[in-house]
């Protein structure tokens, strides 16, 4: 029995999809920016920070990398109110994404920092820069440049992961697809459309990261 | 309302975790088998096969696993196949895993120096023989750490199958939460169980990689 | 009064004592060449003076500032002493001009405009005014090393430490760097340089320090040290090179 596709019944739901895309974009832009920020801070702490801080950061990184995002999200959204921290769906989703990306970004960025030649640190200190100043002005940018492609891939993975935020009723793209299929009973078509939109969003996100890379690192690194 | 002790919660979670483990193992084996086929296509000397393999890899790596689950769960019935959440979970995780493993292994195969291919073809080996006797045995060594590392992603990926109604650890956690109203404890323990499953895999992947690097330095 | 005072400095890496009680006074404006076999501790001595290594014993004072391993003292010291490295260590993501401007802006909080003006002067001084906007990988080794010198000078140090600054250069690029150093010496900069360029040491330096097995084995004006070595070790060293 051949199945006949019917995308036409989805036509009325353009605005729903548009809203879903917009919220997915919001999630990944806010979560991505804050998550990379957290990742930089943790990478600094782990590679160069005070000794007492390192095991704490390691524990955080290991805990996040070895548990599913879904459980992290549920723990934050359903579990935290039980101890008095109530968050809206959107806040919980963004917090979960930041914490999740922060852990992965930490490891990626740390690899970049550790690949920095010792001479760069020494040049910084011989110019009377403090360790933090050396990190910020000398080490960070080349380190980020080195790992930019890996960081980009991770952010795309986190965007795909954000699909489960529909499970706490964040009205993002997957939520929109769920909504449409429940109304139209055209599940397959709804999810195909959503999947294609995710595919396009991923392409767009990679382009944005590439552009951002060109802006942050105007110099191409010589491949030696 | 019945009272649930902490032990009730943990034991029920552990019972459900059996399904997480079983699904992970099956998906990993299935994904490995399909992944080998995809790998073969990806490096075969036939451009159209390569392109097909590439498309396959990009589709599965370039879209959310949750969408793949939905499409298979809702799509297979349209082709007249009646699928349980269990079957849909297994099929989609297998396909998803195969794409990632094929890509990881391709990297390993390509890191084998060109000279090895040339030397073996000069010995009149066929493409398949070169792969089988010369390249794969070498690639296998370096492939172990990232492959073990990816198994962690598979275990975590199984959590998504709860969304299509397969009762594994995550779904059980939600069910138990709805009965006990103790989300903090229940999800906390669920996280802990995932951690206990994943962390040894992560750690051994790291250790294997370090060992490999050290071995490389000595040669 | 001497600018740099090094008293009984000892430094060990684990069990290996690399500096075994170094004493050396450097007057302001003095140019000192440090020579010696590989592994004799020359680099370690310079790195100690710049606080890149912490000393185990003894003391180092620069213009009254005592070297101590805490952040505040280290920065005070490093504001007085600049260091040039064998491998240049330019910051690859910054242009030559930006390399020179960075530290004055970050450490001394100099305004961007002032820092840029200063950087142009310093690059001019090393003959690279036209390379202000070039990135390190667009410069030859000799040019990179001259930018590194300009970068150190922009912090207006009282003394410069140079560790084999021409060793990583192709022979034809060595002279352009040495010429810059010579000019600095003539302008009265205090210089401590580890070098294998014996001719340069003879021409430019006020004193030569021969290090051997972690000690100052011989010290004196170049004409004496080179013409009339007192110890067998120095004779052997000079014979080789
Ligand atoms: N970071 C370190 N850790 C352990 N040992 C070190 C370290 N740095 C230097 N050493 C040791 O200290 C000794 C002196 O080294 P140093 O670099 O000062 O010699 P040098 O006189 O500069 O030699 P060269 O002419 O080869 O540059 C050597 O035996 C070296 O192995
Ligand atoms: Mg040296």
């Amino acid at each position: 029995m051949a199945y006949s596709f019917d995308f036409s019944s989805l036509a009325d739901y353009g605005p729903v999809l548009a809203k879903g895309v917009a919220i997915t974009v919001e999630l990944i832009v806010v979560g991505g920016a804050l998550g990379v920020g957290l990742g930089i801070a943790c990478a600094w702490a782990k590679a160069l920070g005070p000794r007492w801080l390192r095991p704490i950061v390691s524990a955080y990184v290991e805990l996040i990398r070895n548990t599913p995002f879904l459980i992290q999200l549920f723990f934050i959204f359903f579990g935290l109110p039980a101890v008095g921290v109530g968050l809206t769906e959107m806040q919980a989703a963004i917090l979960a994404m930041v914490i999740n990306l922060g852990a992965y970004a930490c490891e990626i960025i740390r690899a970049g920092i550790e690949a920095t030649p010792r001479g760069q640190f020494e040049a910084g200190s011989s110019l009377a820069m403090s360790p933090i100043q050396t990190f910020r002005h000398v080490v960070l940018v080349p380190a980020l440049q080195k790992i930019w492609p890996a960081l980009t891939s991770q952010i795309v993975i986190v965007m795909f992961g954000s699909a489960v935020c529909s499970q706490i009723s964040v009205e993002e793209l997957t939520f929109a697809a769920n909504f449409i299929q429940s109304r139209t009973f055209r599940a397959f078509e709804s999810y195909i459309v959503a999947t294609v939109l995710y595919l396009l969003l991923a392409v767009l996100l990679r382009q944005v990261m590439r552009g951002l890379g060109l802006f942050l690192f105007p110099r191409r690194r010589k491949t030696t | 309302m019945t009272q649930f002790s902490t032990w009730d919660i943990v034991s029920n979670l552990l019972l459900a975790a059996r399904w997480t483990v079983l699904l992970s193992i099956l998906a990993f084996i299935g994904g490995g088998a399909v992944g080998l086929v995809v790998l073969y296509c990806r490096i075969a000397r036939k451009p159209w096969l390569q392109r097909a393999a590439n498309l396959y890899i990009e589709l599965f790596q370039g879209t959310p696993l949750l969408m793949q689950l939905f499409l298979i769960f809702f799509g297979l019935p349209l082709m007249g196949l009646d699928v349980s959440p269990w079957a849909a979970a297994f099929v989609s995780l297998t396909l998803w895993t195969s794409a990632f493993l094929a890509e990881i292994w391709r990297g390993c195969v390509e890191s084998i120096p060109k000279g090895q291919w040339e030397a073996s073809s000069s010995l009149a080996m066929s493409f398949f023989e070169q792969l089988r006797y010369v390249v794969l045995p070498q690639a296998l060594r370096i492939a172990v750490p990232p492959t073990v590392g990816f198994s962690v992603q598979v275990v975590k990926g199984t959590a998504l199958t709860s969304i299509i109604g397969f009762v594994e650890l995550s779904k059980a956690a939600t069910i138990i939460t709805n009965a006990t109203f103790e989300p903090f404890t229940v999800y906390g323990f669920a996280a802990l169980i995932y951690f206990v499953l994943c962390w040894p895999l992560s750690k051994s992947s790291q250790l294997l990689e370090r060992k490999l690097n050290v071995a490389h330095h000595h040669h | 009064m001497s600018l740099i005072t090094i008293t009984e400095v000892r430094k060990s890496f684990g069990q290996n004592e690399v500096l075994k009680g170094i004493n050396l006074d450097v007057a302001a404006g003095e140019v000192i060449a440090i020579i010696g076999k590989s592994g004799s501790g020359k680099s370690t001595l310079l790195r100690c003076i710049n606080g890149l290594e912490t000393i185990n014993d003894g003391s180092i004072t620069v213009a009254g500032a005592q070297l101590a391993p805490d952040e505040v003292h280290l920065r005070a010291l490093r504001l007085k002493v600049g260091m040039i490295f064998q491998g240049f260590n330019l910051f690859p993501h910054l242009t030559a001009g930006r390399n020179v401007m960075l530290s004055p802006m970050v450490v001394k909080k100099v305004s961007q405009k002032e820092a840029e003006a200063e950087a142009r002067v310093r690059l001019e001084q090393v003959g690279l005014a036209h390379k202000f906007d070039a990135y390190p990988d667009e410069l030859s080794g000799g040019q990179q090393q001259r930018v590194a010198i300009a970068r150190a000078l922009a912090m207006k140090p009282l003394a410069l430490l140079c560790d084999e600054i021409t060793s990583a250069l192709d022979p034809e690029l060595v002279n352009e760097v040495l010429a810059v150093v010579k000019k600095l010496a003539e302008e009265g900069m205090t210089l401590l340089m580890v070098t294998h360029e014996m001719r340069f040491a003879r021409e430019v330096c006020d004193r030569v320090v021969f290090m051997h097995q972690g000690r100052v084995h011989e010290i004196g004006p170049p004409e004496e040290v080179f013409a009339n070595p007192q110890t067998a070790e120095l004779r052997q060293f000079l014979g080789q090179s």
Side-chain angles (χ1 to χ4, degrees):
Chain A
M1 193 188 76
Y3 179 73
S4 62
F5 281 97
D6 175 17
F7 286 97
S8 60
S9 52
L10 271 57
D12 296 340
Y13 294 92
V16 176
L17 280 173
K19 186 178 173 203
V21 168
I23 292 186
T24 292
V25 169
E26 184 183 343
L27 283 175
I28 196 58
V29 169
V30 179
L34 296 178
V36 171
L38 179 62
I40 292 173
C42 290
W44 168 81
K46 235 185 138 179
L48 308 165
R51 289 210 176 276
W52 60 268
L53 198 52
R54 294 180 197 180
I56 299 173
V57 175
S58 293
Y60 152 67
V61 168
E62 293 296 324
L63 194 66
I64 294 304
R65 280 157 46 102
N66 289 293
T67 50
F69 178 65
L70 183 70
I71 292 291
Q72 294 161 13
L73 182 71
F74 282 1
F75 185 82
I76 288 172
F77 185 67
F78 296 118
L80 287 190
V83 292
V85 187
L87 297 169
T88 65
E89 292 84 355
M90 198 64 186
Q91 288 167 340
I94 287 179
L95 181 62
M97 287 173 72
V98 170
I99 289 178
N100 187 271
L101 178 58
Y104 286 94
C106 170
E107 287 306 280
I108 295 170
I109 296 167
R110 189 173 63 102
I113 294 173
E114 280 170 2
T116 307
R118 223 164 84 99
Q120 292 289 307
F121 290 95
E122 296 189 341
S125 22
S126 83
L127 289 165
M129 285 191 248
S130 70
I132 297 261
Q133 287 169 334
T134 304
F135 175 70
R136 185 163 127 46
H137 297 283
V138 175
V139 177
L140 185 57
V141 171
L144 282 179
Q145 182 175 14
K146 256 174 240 147
I147 52 84
W148 201 246
L151 194 59
T152 300
S153 305
Q154 190 58 48
I155 294 175
V156 171
I157 289 174
V158 168
M159 183 185 77
F160 292 160
S162 76
V164 307
C165 295
S166 57
Q167 297 302 302
I168 60 166
S169 304
V170 173
E171 300 180 10
E172 44 70 76
L173 182 48
T174 304
F175 185 91
N178 288 341
F179 176 82
I180 295 168
Q181 74 100 2
S182 72
R183 290 297 170 87
T184 60
F185 303 105
R186 287 283 167 184
F188 199 60
E189 287 88 339
S190 303
Y191 291 122
I192 284 192
V193 170
T195 303
V196 169
L197 286 172
Y198 272 114
L199 205 65
L200 293 177
L201 278 176
V203 172
L204 188 70
L205 183 55
R206 284 207 182 83
Q207 286 305 315
V208 169
M209 286 297 285
R210 220 175 64 88
L212 198 60
L214 290 177
F215 171 75
L216 289 173
F217 325 113
R219 290 286 298 159
R220 262 188 308 127
R221 204 157 40 91
K222 272 208 174 164
T223 41
T224 42
Chain B
M1 203 182 91
T2 40
Q3 271 319 106
F4 288 84
S5 70
T6 306
W7 172 243
D8 289 332
I9 292 174
V10 175
S11 59
N12 278 300
L13 287 175
L14 283 173
L15 285 174
R18 292 179 307 175
W19 293 102
T20 294
V21 173
L22 185 66
L23 180 58
S24 303
I25 292 174
L26 290 180
F28 194 71
I29 294 172
V34 180
L36 268 182
V37 177
V38 179
L39 171 71
Y40 181 83
C41 299
R42 181 62 190 75
I43 58 180
R45 307 229 166 97
K46 297 211 174 56
W48 67 269
L49 257 186
Q50 286 190 8
R51 247 172 287 141
N54 252 344
L55 188 69
Y56 179 90
I57 292 170
E58 269 169 30
L59 268 182
F60 283 98
Q61 289 197 341
T63 56
L65 174 57
L66 185 58
M67 288 298 118
Q68 297 164 27
L69 263 172
F70 282 157
L71 285 174
I72 285 173
F73 186 57
F74 292 107
L76 286 186
L78 303 182
M79 293 161 37
L81 293 167
D82 203 15
V83 286
S84 61
W86 160 243
F90 170 68
V91 171
S92 43
L93 274 172
T94 294
L95 297 180
W96 179 77
T97 303
S98 70
F100 278 85
L101 286 182
E103 184 65 6
I104 290 172
W105 292 341
R106 180 187 66 90
C108 298
V109 168
E110 283 181 358
S111 73
I112 302 301
K114 269 215 150 46
Q116 296 292 313
W117 288 100
E118 285 164 6
S120 47
S121 68
S122 78
L123 295 169
M125 290 188 194
S126 71
F127 174 73
F128 189 79
E129 286 161 348
Q130 291 174 16
L131 206 57
R132 165 76 184 77
Y133 296 105
V134 178
V135 176
L136 279 190
Q138 299 182 60
L140 203 63
R141 250 164 44 91
I142 46 177
V144 171
T147 304
V148 174
F150 184 73
S151 67
V152 175
Q153 308 303 324
V154 179
V155 177
K156 292 192 294 179
T158 61
L160 294 190
T161 63
S162 65
I163 296 173
I164 57 166
F166 178 55
V167 185
E168 38 62 80
L169 180 50
S170 296
K171 186 73 187 177
T174 299
I175 294 170
I176 296 170
T177 296
N178 290 340
T180 61
F181 304 108
E182 288 188 61
F184 191 84
T185 316
V186 176
Y187 287 120
F189 274 116
L192 201 66
I193 296 174
Y194 276 113
F195 184 82
V196 169
L197 291 175
C198 293
W199 191 73
L201 294 170
S202 301
K203 221 44 208 171
S204 40
S205 161
Q206 277 171 20
L207 290 179
L208 287 166
E209 178 149 356
R210 210 164 302 153
K211 223 168 93 187
L212 199 68
N213 283 341
V214 171
H216 258 281
H217 276 292
H218 283 308
H219 290 296
Chain C
M1 216 203 81
S2 51
L3 180 67
I4 302 176
T5 314
I6 300 166
T7 319
E8 281 303 314
V9 163
R10 290 176 179 275
K11 169 71 189 172
S12 309
F13 293 107
Q15 296 295 314
N16 180 15
E17 188 168 53
V18 176
L19 299 180
K20 300 168 180 166
I22 302 278
N23 289 293
L24 183 63
D25 282 5
V26 184
E30 214 180 357
V31 179
I32 295 203
I34 303 173
I35 60 173
K37 274 199 310 200
S38 179
S40 56
K42 308 181 296 290
S43 297
T44 306
L45 177 60
L46 285 199
R47 293 167 58 82
C48 286
I49 300 174
N50 204 231
L52 291 175
E53 308 283 358
T54 46
I55 57 179
N56 299 105
D57 204 5
S59 75
I60 298 176
T61 329
V62 180
Q66 173 101 29
L67 174 68
D70 63 282
E71 196 58 33
V72 179
H73 281 88
L74 275 179
R75 290 187 81 175
L77 176 98
R78 285 169 180 156
L79 284 169
K80 294 180 173 151
V81 195
M83 180 141 181
I84 323 284
F85 301 87
Q86 182 175 345
F88 327 137
N89 293 349
L90 290 185
F91 307 136
H93 61 301
L94 301 176
T95 60
R98 286 270 160 190
N99 259 278
V100 181
M101 289 162 65
L102 180 65
S103 193
M105 285 171 62
V106 169
V107 176
K108 295 188 167 173
K109 312 292 178 206
V110 170
S111 74
Q112 167 147 353
K113 225 175 109 204
E114 270 177 80
E116 185 174 336
E118 172 75 13
R120 289 199 188 279
V121 171
R122 294 305 171 185
L123 284 175
E124 176 77 59
Q125 196 177 356
V126 298
L128 289 173
H130 58 296
K131 293 292 186 189
F132 191 92
D133 291 317
Y135 280 90
D137 60 11
E138 295 166 342
L139 299 173
S140 74
Q143 290 172 330
Q144 289 188 50
Q145 194 58 294
R146 283 147 67 198
V147 173
I149 294 173
R151 183 174 74 174
L153 290 175
M155 294 297 282
K156 306 198 172 73
L158 299 173
L160 273 187
L161 311 172
C162 306
D163 189 1
E164 302 199 32
I165 60 172
T166 56
S167 300
L169 298 177
D170 294 335
E172 71 271 18
L173 300 176
V174 168
N175 281 332
E176 66 183 58
V177 173
L178 290 182
V180 168
V181 177
K182 191 171 172 187
K183 207 172 76 183
L184 284 177
E186 284 161 0
E187 288 163 6
M189 174 60 76
T190 310
L191 289 165
L192 248 84
M193 42 194 308
V194 174
T195 184
H196 292 304
E197 303 289 334
M198 293 306 160
R199 210 164 57 92
F200 182 80
R202 201 181 304 226
E203 280 172 21
V204 178
C205 296
D206 301 307
R207 280 195 291 165
V208 174
V209 173
F210 171 62
M211 284 189 64
H212 185 67
Q213 295 184 347
R215 292 198 172 80
V216 175
H217 211 68
E218 267 190 57
I219 184 166
E223 43 287 5
E224 273 176 37
V225 168
F226 288 122
N228 196 9
Q230 300 293 307
T231 60
E233 288 80 9
L234 180 52
R235 267 194 296 277
Q236 196 202 3
F237 175 76
L238 291 175
Q240 287 172 347
S241 52

